[in-house]
Amino acid sequence: MVTRDGISHHAHEEGHLSDRAAVLRAAVLGANDGLLSTASLVVGVAAASASRSQVLTAGIAGLVAGALSMAVGEWSSVSSQRDAELADLDKERLEINKSPDAERHELAGIYRKRGLTADLADAVAVELSAGDAVRHHARDELGLDVDNLSLPAQAAGVSALSFAVGAVIPIVAVSIASASLRVAAGVASALIGLAILGALGARFGGADWRRPTLRVVIGGAITLLVSFVIGRAIGASV
């Protein structure tokens, strides 16, 4: 924008991922679960010398069951969290209506602990309490954003979808591989996918990607090895 003095001024805008980081990280973790659990399943079944149709049936069944299980689990967990958040807001609203002066002093005390002088803290508390007092108490006293409460449906949907996306990777890999390479394809696709997802998870968590990636790959390799050994043993004994 150009002002009357002829100087161009640009609006200062910052893009933050903080509002989306939790959802993105949950999606990465869901995909990680779907990838490893389904890969372990198809590798174990393939190690038992099962046919392609049997391996795919097991993989698809694992995808559906796992995605639905993740959705129900997240729905229940996040619904409980949202219920607690709403209960806290109702309690705070009741306390503000019952004892507005005491709640205002409590808010001022929070600001004093953050470094404001007593007079300024009192002035800020009075100013904010004159507006949406519940909003400010929720944010500064309870650590809640009234516009960003937990969303059970979103959590369930993200978990189910991300699990399914992760699960598809080993299913596709074993479906296009020959019988002799089926186990190797499942293992390779899982380890490569785990490495990518481990790096992404570390990125969203703000950590260095190398150690978390190595950790998840090693853990995945051990899981796949155990599944392979069990599948081979069962296949040999049946």
Side-chain angles (χ1 to χ4, degrees), residues 38 41-42 45 53-65 167 171 174:
T38 306
L41 178 61
V42 296
V45 174
S53 63
Q54 291 173 323
V55 173
L56 291 181
T57 299
I60 294 172
L63 183 158
V64 174
I171 292 176
V174 299

Side-chain angles (χ1 to χ4, degrees), residues 58-208:
I60 294 172
L63 183 158
V64 174
L68 293 177
S69 177
M70 289 283 288
V72 172
E74 282 296 298
W75 175 273
S76 300
S77 175
V78 179
S79 291
S80 297
Q81 181 178 342
R82 184 179 178 87
D83 290 342
E85 292 171 349
L86 293 175
D88 283 340
L89 289 176
D90 289 339
K91 181 180 179 181
E92 195 63 32
R93 186 177 294 106
L94 180 63
E95 291 175 350
I96 290 172
N97 292 333
K98 181 180 178 180
S99 305
D101 292 338
E103 289 298 309
R104 187 167 57 250
H105 289 314
E106 185 178 13
L107 199 61
I110 294 173
Y111 298 144
R112 285 196 296 271
K113 290 180 181 179
R114 293 180 181 175
L116 297 185
T117 63
D119 290 341
L120 182 56
D122 290 338
V124 171
V126 169
E127 182 72 19
L128 294 180
S129 297
D132 190 346
V134 175
R135 174 184 297 274
H136 300 298
H137 276 273
R139 180 192 63 206
D140 297 320
E141 184 180 346
L142 305 177
L144 295 177
D145 182 354
V146 297
D147 295 323
N148 193 30
L149 298 179
S150 300
L151 300 174
Q154 181 188 70
V158 169
S159 296
L161 180 60
S162 60
F163 185 98
V165 170
V168 164
I169 296 173
I171 292 176
V172 171
V174 299
S175 68
I176 62 178
S178 62
S180 61
L181 296 177
R182 203 166 288 151
V183 171
V187 171
S189 65
L191 294 181
I192 293 172
L194 287 173
I196 295 172
L197 292 171
L200 287 175
R203 171 68 179 83
F204 293 131
D208 181 77

Side-chain angles (χ1 to χ4, degrees), residues 35-36 39 186-196 216-222 224:
L35 173 61
L36 182 55
V187 171
S189 65
L191 294 181
I192 293 172
L194 287 173
I196 295 172
V216 74
V217 169
I218 292 175
I222 293 173
L224 291 165

